[in-house]
mmCIF file with all atom_site columns, all heavy atoms in Angstrom:
data_model
loop_
_atom_site.group_PDB
_atom_site.id
_atom_site.type_symbol
_atom_site.label_atom_id
_atom_site.label_alt_id
_atom_site.label_comp_id
_atom_site.label_asym_id
_atom_site.label_entity_id
_atom_site.label_seq_id
_atom_site.pdbx_PDB_ins_code
_atom_site.Cartn_x
_atom_site.Cartn_y
_atom_site.Cartn_z
_atom_site.occupancy
_atom_site.B_iso_or_equiv
_atom_site.pdbx_formal_charge
_atom_site.auth_seq_id
_atom_site.auth_comp_id
_atom_site.auth_asym_id
_atom_site.auth_atom_id
_atom_site.pdbx_PDB_model_num
ATOM 1   N N   . ASP A 1 1  ? 0.834   -1.209  -0.002  1.00 0.00 ? 1  ASP A N   1
ATOM 2   C CA  . ASP A 1 1  ? 0.000   -0.001  -0.001  1.00 0.00 ? 1  ASP A CA  1
ATOM 3   C C   . ASP A 1 1  ? 0.865   1.254   0.000   1.00 0.00 ? 1  ASP A C   1
ATOM 4   O O   . ASP A 1 1  ? 0.580   2.227   -0.705  1.00 0.00 ? 1  ASP A O   1
ATOM 5   C CB  . ASP A 1 1  ? -0.925  0.005   1.216   1.00 0.00 ? 1  ASP A CB  1
ATOM 6   C CG  . ASP A 1 1  ? -2.055  -0.997  1.098   1.00 0.00 ? 1  ASP A CG  1
ATOM 7   O OD1 . ASP A 1 1  ? -2.359  -1.418  -0.036  1.00 0.00 ? 1  ASP A OD1 1
ATOM 8   O OD2 . ASP A 1 1  ? -2.634  -1.369  2.143   1.00 0.00 ? 1  ASP A OD2 1
ATOM 9   N N   . ARG A 1 2  ? 1.925   1.241   0.796   1.00 0.00 ? 2  ARG A N   1
ATOM 10  C CA  . ARG A 1 2  ? 2.792   2.405   0.912   1.00 0.00 ? 2  ARG A CA  1
ATOM 11  C C   . ARG A 1 2  ? 3.436   2.742   -0.429  1.00 0.00 ? 2  ARG A C   1
ATOM 12  O O   . ARG A 1 2  ? 3.653   3.914   -0.761  1.00 0.00 ? 2  ARG A O   1
ATOM 13  C CB  . ARG A 1 2  ? 3.873   2.135   1.962   1.00 0.00 ? 2  ARG A CB  1
ATOM 14  C CG  . ARG A 1 2  ? 4.600   3.382   2.473   1.00 0.00 ? 2  ARG A CG  1
ATOM 15  C CD  . ARG A 1 2  ? 5.600   3.013   3.550   1.00 0.00 ? 2  ARG A CD  1
ATOM 16  N NE  . ARG A 1 2  ? 4.990   2.154   4.572   1.00 0.00 ? 2  ARG A NE  1
ATOM 17  C CZ  . ARG A 1 2  ? 5.678   1.299   5.330   1.00 0.00 ? 2  ARG A CZ  1
ATOM 18  N NH1 . ARG A 1 2  ? 6.992   1.179   5.180   1.00 0.00 ? 2  ARG A NH1 1
ATOM 19  N NH2 . ARG A 1 2  ? 5.053   0.579   6.232   1.00 0.00 ? 2  ARG A NH2 1
ATOM 20  N N   . GLU A 1 3  ? 3.729   1.718   -1.216  1.00 0.00 ? 3  GLU A N   1
ATOM 21  C CA  . GLU A 1 3  ? 4.384   1.937   -2.512  1.00 0.00 ? 3  GLU A CA  1
ATOM 22  C C   . GLU A 1 3  ? 3.393   2.049   -3.662  1.00 0.00 ? 3  GLU A C   1
ATOM 23  O O   . GLU A 1 3  ? 3.792   2.215   -4.813  1.00 0.00 ? 3  GLU A O   1
ATOM 24  C CB  . GLU A 1 3  ? 5.375   0.801   -2.797  1.00 0.00 ? 3  GLU A CB  1
ATOM 25  C CG  . GLU A 1 3  ? 6.473   0.652   -1.752  1.00 0.00 ? 3  GLU A CG  1
ATOM 26  C CD  . GLU A 1 3  ? 7.333   1.885   -1.596  1.00 0.00 ? 3  GLU A CD  1
ATOM 27  O OE1 . GLU A 1 3  ? 7.351   2.728   -2.535  1.00 0.00 ? 3  GLU A OE1 1
ATOM 28  O OE2 . GLU A 1 3  ? 7.987   2.034   -0.553  1.00 0.00 ? 3  GLU A OE2 1
ATOM 29  N N   . GLY A 1 4  ? 2.094   1.929   -3.371  1.00 0.00 ? 4  GLY A N   1
ATOM 30  C CA  . GLY A 1 4  ? 1.084   2.041   -4.418  1.00 0.00 ? 4  GLY A CA  1
ATOM 31  C C   . GLY A 1 4  ? 1.046   0.857   -5.364  1.00 0.00 ? 4  GLY A C   1
ATOM 32  O O   . GLY A 1 4  ? 0.621   0.985   -6.519  1.00 0.00 ? 4  GLY A O   1
ATOM 33  N N   . ILE A 1 5  ? 1.468   -0.298  -4.900  1.00 0.00 ? 5  ILE A N   1
ATOM 34  C CA  . ILE A 1 5  ? 1.457   -1.501  -5.736  1.00 0.00 ? 5  ILE A CA  1
ATOM 35  C C   . ILE A 1 5  ? 0.120   -2.205  -5.544  1.00 0.00 ? 5  ILE A C   1
ATOM 36  O O   . ILE A 1 5  ? -0.256  -2.540  -4.416  1.00 0.00 ? 5  ILE A O   1
ATOM 37  C CB  . ILE A 1 5  ? 2.635   -2.424  -5.379  1.00 0.00 ? 5  ILE A CB  1
ATOM 38  C CG1 . ILE A 1 5  ? 3.961   -1.716  -5.693  1.00 0.00 ? 5  ILE A CG1 1
ATOM 39  C CG2 . ILE A 1 5  ? 2.539   -3.746  -6.135  1.00 0.00 ? 5  ILE A CG2 1
ATOM 40  C CD1 . ILE A 1 5  ? 5.187   -2.441  -5.193  1.00 0.00 ? 5  ILE A CD1 1
ATOM 41  N N   . PRO A 1 6  ? -0.638  -2.433  -6.619  1.00 0.00 ? 6  PRO A N   1
ATOM 42  C CA  . PRO A 1 6  ? -2.009  -2.944  -6.477  1.00 0.00 ? 6  PRO A CA  1
ATOM 43  C C   . PRO A 1 6  ? -2.058  -4.390  -6.024  1.00 0.00 ? 6  PRO A C   1
ATOM 44  O O   . PRO A 1 6  ? -1.343  -5.250  -6.532  1.00 0.00 ? 6  PRO A O   1
ATOM 45  C CB  . PRO A 1 6  ? -2.581  -2.792  -7.883  1.00 0.00 ? 6  PRO A CB  1
ATOM 46  C CG  . PRO A 1 6  ? -1.395  -2.867  -8.784  1.00 0.00 ? 6  PRO A CG  1
ATOM 47  C CD  . PRO A 1 6  ? -0.270  -2.217  -8.040  1.00 0.00 ? 6  PRO A CD  1
ATOM 48  N N   . HIS A 1 7  ? -2.908  -4.641  -5.060  1.00 0.00 ? 7  HIS A N   1
ATOM 49  C CA  . HIS A 1 7  ? -3.171  -6.013  -4.633  1.00 0.00 ? 7  HIS A CA  1
ATOM 50  C C   . HIS A 1 7  ? -4.637  -6.103  -4.243  1.00 0.00 ? 7  HIS A C   1
ATOM 51  O O   . HIS A 1 7  ? -5.252  -5.121  -3.814  1.00 0.00 ? 7  HIS A O   1
ATOM 52  C CB  . HIS A 1 7  ? -2.259  -6.415  -3.472  1.00 0.00 ? 7  HIS A CB  1
ATOM 53  C CG  . HIS A 1 7  ? -2.394  -5.546  -2.260  1.00 0.00 ? 7  HIS A CG  1
ATOM 54  N ND1 . HIS A 1 7  ? -3.179  -5.875  -1.179  1.00 0.00 ? 7  HIS A ND1 1
ATOM 55  C CD2 . HIS A 1 7  ? -1.851  -4.339  -1.964  1.00 0.00 ? 7  HIS A CD2 1
ATOM 56  C CE1 . HIS A 1 7  ? -3.099  -4.922  -0.267  1.00 0.00 ? 7  HIS A CE1 1
ATOM 57  N NE2 . HIS A 1 7  ? -2.305  -3.973  -0.718  1.00 0.00 ? 7  HIS A NE2 1
ATOM 58  N N   . MET A 1 8  ? -5.192  -7.285  -4.420  1.00 0.00 ? 8  MET A N   1
ATOM 59  C CA  . MET A 1 8  ? -6.611  -7.469  -4.164  1.00 0.00 ? 8  MET A CA  1
ATOM 60  C C   . MET A 1 8  ? -6.858  -7.580  -2.665  1.00 0.00 ? 8  MET A C   1
ATOM 61  O O   . MET A 1 8  ? -6.199  -8.353  -1.964  1.00 0.00 ? 8  MET A O   1
ATOM 62  C CB  . MET A 1 8  ? -7.121  -8.718  -4.877  1.00 0.00 ? 8  MET A CB  1
ATOM 63  C CG  . MET A 1 8  ? -7.014  -8.641  -6.388  1.00 0.00 ? 8  MET A CG  1
ATOM 64  S SD  . MET A 1 8  ? -7.607  -10.135 -7.212  1.00 0.00 ? 8  MET A SD  1
ATOM 65  C CE  . MET A 1 8  ? -9.370  -10.001 -6.906  1.00 0.00 ? 8  MET A CE  1
ATOM 66  N N   . ALA A 1 9  ? -7.811  -6.810  -2.174  1.00 0.00 ? 9  ALA A N   1
ATOM 67  C CA  . ALA A 1 9  ? -8.180  -6.871  -0.759  1.00 0.00 ? 9  ALA A CA  1
ATOM 68  C C   . ALA A 1 9  ? -8.939  -8.160  -0.479  1.00 0.00 ? 9  ALA A C   1
ATOM 69  O O   . ALA A 1 9  ? -9.828  -8.557  -1.242  1.00 0.00 ? 9  ALA A O   1
ATOM 70  C CB  . ALA A 1 9  ? -9.028  -5.659  -0.391  1.00 0.00 ? 9  ALA A CB  1
ATOM 71  N N   . ASN A 1 10 ? -8.585  -8.834  0.595   1.00 0.00 ? 10 ASN A N   1
ATOM 72  C CA  . ASN A 1 10 ? -9.331  -10.000 1.049   1.00 0.00 ? 10 ASN A CA  1
ATOM 73  C C   . ASN A 1 10 ? -9.003  -10.238 2.516   1.00 0.00 ? 10 ASN A C   1
ATOM 74  O O   . ASN A 1 10 ? -8.170  -9.539  3.101   1.00 0.00 ? 10 ASN A O   1
ATOM 75  C CB  . ASN A 1 10 ? -9.014  -11.238 0.190   1.00 0.00 ? 10 ASN A CB  1
ATOM 76  C CG  . ASN A 1 10 ? -7.541  -11.622 0.236   1.00 0.00 ? 10 ASN A CG  1
ATOM 77  O OD1 . ASN A 1 10 ? -6.937  -11.742 1.302   1.00 0.00 ? 10 ASN A OD1 1
ATOM 78  N ND2 . ASN A 1 10 ? -6.937  -11.823 -0.934  1.00 0.00 ? 10 ASN A ND2 1
ATOM 79  N N   . ASP A 1 11 ? -9.652  -11.215 3.112   1.00 0.00 ? 11 ASP A N   1
ATOM 80  C CA  . ASP A 1 11 ? -9.459  -11.501 4.534   1.00 0.00 ? 11 ASP A CA  1
ATOM 81  C C   . ASP A 1 11 ? -8.639  -12.768 4.755   1.00 0.00 ? 11 ASP A C   1
ATOM 82  O O   . ASP A 1 11 ? -8.723  -13.389 5.819   1.00 0.00 ? 11 ASP A O   1
ATOM 83  C CB  . ASP A 1 11 ? -10.819 -11.654 5.226   1.00 0.00 ? 11 ASP A CB  1
ATOM 84  C CG  . ASP A 1 11 ? -11.604 -10.353 5.237   1.00 0.00 ? 11 ASP A CG  1
ATOM 85  O OD1 . ASP A 1 11 ? -10.977 -9.292  5.417   1.00 0.00 ? 11 ASP A OD1 1
ATOM 86  O OD2 . ASP A 1 11 ? -12.836 -10.401 5.045   1.00 0.00 ? 11 ASP A OD2 1
ATOM 87  N N   . SER A 1 12 ? -7.847  -13.150 3.757   1.00 0.00 ? 12 SER A N   1
ATOM 88  C CA  . SER A 1 12 ? -7.082  -14.392 3.871   1.00 0.00 ? 12 SER A CA  1
ATOM 89  C C   . SER A 1 12 ? -5.587  -14.119 3.823   1.00 0.00 ? 12 SER A C   1
ATOM 90  O O   . SER A 1 12 ? -5.132  -12.976 3.837   1.00 0.00 ? 12 SER A O   1
ATOM 91  C CB  . SER A 1 12 ? -7.481  -15.366 2.755   1.00 0.00 ? 12 SER A CB  1
ATOM 92  O OG  . SER A 1 12 ? -6.887  -14.989 1.526   1.00 0.00 ? 12 SER A OG  1
ATOM 93  N N   . HIS A 1 13 ? -4.830  -15.181 3.720   1.00 0.00 ? 13 HIS A N   1
ATOM 94  C CA  . HIS A 1 13 ? -3.371  -15.143 3.682   1.00 0.00 ? 13 HIS A CA  1
ATOM 95  C C   . HIS A 1 13 ? -2.817  -15.001 2.273   1.00 0.00 ? 13 HIS A C   1
ATOM 96  O O   . HIS A 1 13 ? -1.595  -14.950 2.100   1.00 0.00 ? 13 HIS A O   1
ATOM 97  C CB  . HIS A 1 13 ? -2.833  -16.443 4.285   1.00 0.00 ? 13 HIS A CB  1
ATOM 98  C CG  . HIS A 1 13 ? -3.345  -17.666 3.567   1.00 0.00 ? 13 HIS A CG  1
ATOM 99  N ND1 . HIS A 1 13 ? -4.629  -18.138 3.746   1.00 0.00 ? 13 HIS A ND1 1
ATOM 100 C CD2 . HIS A 1 13 ? -2.767  -18.483 2.655   1.00 0.00 ? 13 HIS A CD2 1
ATOM 101 C CE1 . HIS A 1 13 ? -4.812  -19.202 2.977   1.00 0.00 ? 13 HIS A CE1 1
ATOM 102 N NE2 . HIS A 1 13 ? -3.704  -19.434 2.315   1.00 0.00 ? 13 HIS A NE2 1
ATOM 103 N N   . ILE A 1 14 ? -3.673  -14.965 1.273   1.00 0.00 ? 14 ILE A N   1
ATOM 104 C CA  . ILE A 1 14 ? -3.261  -14.921 -0.128  1.00 0.00 ? 14 ILE A CA  1
ATOM 105 C C   . ILE A 1 14 ? -3.243  -13.470 -0.601  1.00 0.00 ? 14 ILE A C   1
ATOM 106 O O   . ILE A 1 14 ? -4.240  -12.756 -0.443  1.00 0.00 ? 14 ILE A O   1
ATOM 107 C CB  . ILE A 1 14 ? -4.204  -15.774 -0.995  1.00 0.00 ? 14 ILE A CB  1
ATOM 108 C CG1 . ILE A 1 14 ? -4.106  -17.248 -0.569  1.00 0.00 ? 14 ILE A CG1 1
ATOM 109 C CG2 . ILE A 1 14 ? -3.888  -15.614 -2.477  1.00 0.00 ? 14 ILE A CG2 1
ATOM 110 C CD1 . ILE A 1 14 ? -5.218  -18.121 -1.104  1.00 0.00 ? 14 ILE A CD1 1
ATOM 111 N N   . VAL A 1 15 ? -2.123  -13.035 -1.178  1.00 0.00 ? 15 VAL A N   1
ATOM 112 C CA  . VAL A 1 15 ? -1.957  -11.646 -1.608  1.00 0.00 ? 15 VAL A CA  1
ATOM 113 C C   . VAL A 1 15 ? -1.782  -11.618 -3.129  1.00 0.00 ? 15 VAL A C   1
ATOM 114 O O   . VAL A 1 15 ? -0.678  -11.795 -3.645  1.00 0.00 ? 15 VAL A O   1
ATOM 115 C CB  . VAL A 1 15 ? -0.753  -10.985 -0.923  1.00 0.00 ? 15 VAL A CB  1
ATOM 116 C CG1 . VAL A 1 15 ? -0.652  -9.511  -1.321  1.00 0.00 ? 15 VAL A CG1 1
ATOM 117 C CG2 . VAL A 1 15 ? -0.841  -11.131 0.597   1.00 0.00 ? 15 VAL A CG2 1
ATOM 118 N N   . PRO A 1 16 ? -2.867  -11.420 -3.888  1.00 0.00 ? 16 PRO A N   1
ATOM 119 C CA  . PRO A 1 16 ? -2.753  -11.357 -5.347  1.00 0.00 ? 16 PRO A CA  1
ATOM 120 C C   . PRO A 1 16 ? -2.354  -9.939  -5.795  1.00 0.00 ? 16 PRO A C   1
ATOM 121 O O   . PRO A 1 16 ? -3.046  -8.968  -5.485  1.00 0.00 ? 16 PRO A O   1
ATOM 122 C CB  . PRO A 1 16 ? -4.161  -11.698 -5.838  1.00 0.00 ? 16 PRO A CB  1
ATOM 123 C CG  . PRO A 1 16 ? -4.951  -12.077 -4.612  1.00 0.00 ? 16 PRO A CG  1
ATOM 124 C CD  . PRO A 1 16 ? -4.266  -11.401 -3.460  1.00 0.00 ? 16 PRO A CD  1
ATOM 125 N N   . VAL A 1 17 ? -1.236  -9.835  -6.501  1.00 0.00 ? 17 VAL A N   1
ATOM 126 C CA  . VAL A 1 17 ? -0.794  -8.564  -7.069  1.00 0.00 ? 17 VAL A CA  1
ATOM 127 C C   . VAL A 1 17 ? -1.172  -8.567  -8.552  1.00 0.00 ? 17 VAL A C   1
ATOM 128 O O   . VAL A 1 17 ? -0.634  -9.336  -9.347  1.00 0.00 ? 17 VAL A O   1
ATOM 129 C CB  . VAL A 1 17 ? 0.720   -8.372  -6.881  1.00 0.00 ? 17 VAL A CB  1
ATOM 130 C CG1 . VAL A 1 17 ? 1.207   -7.136  -7.638  1.00 0.00 ? 17 VAL A CG1 1
ATOM 131 C CG2 . VAL A 1 17 ? 1.062   -8.253  -5.406  1.00 0.00 ? 17 VAL A CG2 1
ATOM 132 N N   . LEU A 1 18 ? -2.118  -7.711  -8.902  1.00 0.00 ? 18 LEU A N   1
ATOM 133 C CA  . LEU A 1 18 ? -2.673  -7.709  -10.247 1.00 0.00 ? 18 LEU A CA  1
ATOM 134 C C   . LEU A 1 18 ? -1.759  -7.022  -11.252 1.00 0.00 ? 18 LEU A C   1
ATOM 135 O O   . LEU A 1 18 ? -1.243  -5.939  -10.986 1.00 0.00 ? 18 LEU A O   1
ATOM 136 C CB  . LEU A 1 18 ? -4.032  -7.010  -10.246 1.00 0.00 ? 18 LEU A CB  1
ATOM 137 C CG  . LEU A 1 18 ? -5.163  -7.744  -9.516  1.00 0.00 ? 18 LEU A CG  1
ATOM 138 C CD1 . LEU A 1 18 ? -6.403  -6.889  -9.480  1.00 0.00 ? 18 LEU A CD1 1
ATOM 139 C CD2 . LEU A 1 18 ? -5.455  -9.078  -10.187 1.00 0.00 ? 18 LEU A CD2 1
ATOM 140 N N   . ILE A 1 19 ? -1.607  -7.643  -12.420 1.00 0.00 ? 19 ILE A N   1
ATOM 141 C CA  . ILE A 1 19 ? -0.839  -7.053  -13.518 1.00 0.00 ? 19 ILE A CA  1
ATOM 142 C C   . ILE A 1 19 ? -1.697  -6.963  -14.781 1.00 0.00 ? 19 ILE A C   1
ATOM 143 O O   . ILE A 1 19 ? -1.578  -6.027  -15.569 1.00 0.00 ? 19 ILE A O   1
ATOM 144 C CB  . ILE A 1 19 ? 0.451   -7.853  -13.754 1.00 0.00 ? 19 ILE A CB  1
ATOM 145 C CG1 . ILE A 1 19 ? 1.329   -7.760  -12.497 1.00 0.00 ? 19 ILE A CG1 1
ATOM 146 C CG2 . ILE A 1 19 ? 1.208   -7.337  -14.972 1.00 0.00 ? 19 ILE A CG2 1
ATOM 147 C CD1 . ILE A 1 19 ? 2.503   -8.684  -12.480 1.00 0.00 ? 19 ILE A CD1 1
ATOM 148 N N   . LYS A 1 20 ? -2.570  -7.949  -14.983 1.00 0.00 ? 20 LYS A N   1
ATOM 149 C CA  . LYS A 1 20 ? -3.609  -7.912  -16.022 1.00 0.00 ? 20 LYS A CA  1
ATOM 150 C C   . LYS A 1 20 ? -3.066  -8.035  -17.441 1.00 0.00 ? 20 LYS A C   1
ATOM 151 O O   . LYS A 1 20 ? -3.739  -7.652  -18.390 1.00 0.00 ? 20 LYS A O   1
ATOM 152 C CB  . LYS A 1 20 ? -4.461  -6.638  -15.893 1.00 0.00 ? 20 LYS A CB  1
ATOM 153 C CG  . LYS A 1 20 ? -5.104  -6.460  -14.539 1.00 0.00 ? 20 LYS A CG  1
ATOM 154 C CD  . LYS A 1 20 ? -5.952  -5.206  -14.508 1.00 0.00 ? 20 LYS A CD  1
ATOM 155 C CE  . LYS A 1 20 ? -6.543  -4.992  -13.145 1.00 0.00 ? 20 LYS A CE  1
ATOM 156 N NZ  . LYS A 1 20 ? -7.360  -3.778  -13.077 1.00 0.00 ? 20 LYS A NZ  1
ATOM 157 N N   . ASP A 1 21 ? -1.885  -8.548  -17.581 1.00 0.00 ? 21 ASP A N   1
ATOM 158 C CA  . ASP A 1 21 ? -1.307  -8.775  -18.894 1.00 0.00 ? 21 ASP A CA  1
ATOM 159 C C   . ASP A 1 21 ? -0.384  -9.986  -18.789 1.00 0.00 ? 21 ASP A C   1
ATOM 160 O O   . ASP A 1 21 ? 0.540   -9.982  -17.973 1.00 0.00 ? 21 ASP A O   1
ATOM 161 C CB  . ASP A 1 21 ? -0.523  -7.548  -19.357 1.00 0.00 ? 21 ASP A CB  1
ATOM 162 C CG  . ASP A 1 21 ? 0.122   -7.748  -20.719 1.00 0.00 ? 21 ASP A CG  1
ATOM 163 O OD1 . ASP A 1 21 ? 1.216   -8.345  -20.777 1.00 0.00 ? 21 ASP A OD1 1
ATOM 164 O OD2 . ASP A 1 21 ? -0.482  -7.326  -21.713 1.00 0.00 ? 21 ASP A OD2 1
ATOM 165 N N   . PRO A 1 22 ? -0.600  -11.026 -19.604 1.00 0.00 ? 22 PRO A N   1
ATOM 166 C CA  . PRO A 1 22 ? 0.187   -12.246 -19.433 1.00 0.00 ? 22 PRO A CA  1
ATOM 167 C C   . PRO A 1 22 ? 1.670   -12.063 -19.739 1.00 0.00 ? 22 PRO A C   1
ATOM 168 O O   . PRO A 1 22 ? 2.528   -12.642 -19.062 1.00 0.00 ? 22 PRO A O   1
ATOM 169 C CB  . PRO A 1 22 ? -0.472  -13.232 -20.410 1.00 0.00 ? 22 PRO A CB  1
ATOM 170 C CG  . PRO A 1 22 ? -1.186  -12.388 -21.406 1.00 0.00 ? 22 PRO A CG  1
ATOM 171 C CD  . PRO A 1 22 ? -1.620  -11.159 -20.660 1.00 0.00 ? 22 PRO A CD  1
ATOM 172 N N   . VAL A 1 23 ? 1.986   -11.259 -20.741 1.00 0.00 ? 23 VAL A N   1
ATOM 173 C CA  . VAL A 1 23 ? 3.386   -11.067 -21.120 1.00 0.00 ? 23 VAL A CA  1
ATOM 174 C C   . VAL A 1 23 ? 4.128   -10.293 -20.037 1.00 0.00 ? 23 VAL A C   1
ATOM 175 O O   . VAL A 1 23 ? 5.246   -10.656 -19.626 1.00 0.00 ? 23 VAL A O   1
ATOM 176 C CB  . VAL A 1 23 ? 3.482   -10.350 -22.483 1.00 0.00 ? 23 VAL A CB  1
ATOM 177 C CG1 . VAL A 1 23 ? 4.931   -10.037 -22.830 1.00 0.00 ? 23 VAL A CG1 1
ATOM 178 C CG2 . VAL A 1 23 ? 2.842   -11.207 -23.569 1.00 0.00 ? 23 VAL A CG2 1
ATOM 179 N N   . LYS A 1 24 ? 3.511   -9.214  -19.539 1.00 0.00 ? 24 LYS A N   1
ATOM 180 C CA  . LYS A 1 24 ? 4.152   -8.432  -18.481 1.00 0.00 ? 24 LYS A CA  1
ATOM 181 C C   . LYS A 1 24 ? 4.272   -9.235  -17.185 1.00 0.00 ? 24 LYS A C   1
ATOM 182 O O   . LYS A 1 24 ? 5.264   -9.111  -16.453 1.00 0.00 ? 24 LYS A O   1
ATOM 183 C CB  . LYS A 1 24 ? 3.369   -7.139  -18.230 1.00 0.00 ? 24 LYS A CB  1
ATOM 184 C CG  . LYS A 1 24 ? 3.564   -6.088  -19.310 1.00 0.00 ? 24 LYS A CG  1
ATOM 185 C CD  . LYS A 1 24 ? 2.841   -4.803  -18.952 1.00 0.00 ? 24 LYS A CD  1
ATOM 186 C CE  . LYS A 1 24 ? 3.100   -3.720  -20.005 1.00 0.00 ? 24 LYS A CE  1
ATOM 187 N NZ  . LYS A 1 24 ? 2.393   -2.457  -19.680 1.00 0.00 ? 24 LYS A NZ  1
ATOM 188 N N   . THR A 1 25 ? 3.270   -10.049 -16.898 1.00 0.00 ? 25 THR A N   1
ATOM 189 C CA  . THR A 1 25 ? 3.329   -10.868 -15.684 1.00 0.00 ? 25 THR A CA  1
ATOM 190 C C   . THR A 1 25 ? 4.515   -11.819 -15.743 1.00 0.00 ? 25 THR A C   1
ATOM 191 O O   . THR A 1 25 ? 5.280   -11.942 -14.778 1.00 0.00 ? 25 THR A O   1
ATOM 192 C CB  . THR A 1 25 ? 2.023   -11.670 -15.506 1.00 0.00 ? 25 THR A CB  1
ATOM 193 O OG1 . THR A 1 25 ? 0.904   -10.776 -15.531 1.00 0.00 ? 25 THR A OG1 1
ATOM 194 C CG2 . THR A 1 25 ? 2.018   -12.421 -14.190 1.00 0.00 ? 25 THR A CG2 1
#
């Protein structure tokens, strides 16, 4: 959050960082 890197909010231990492009990922 401090660095502005997007991740999906949830209540679990899994932290998905979204990129939305297969090549860039």
Side-chain angles (χ1 to χ4, degrees):
D1 287 340
R2 197 177 311 154
E3 301 300 340
I5 296 171
H7 59 97
M8 297 179 70
N10 61 50
D11 294 322
S12 77
H13 58 284
I14 297 166
V15 183
V17 173
L18 291 175
I19 297 170
K20 304 182 183 179
D21 179 277
V23 175
K24 285 184 177 180
T25 305

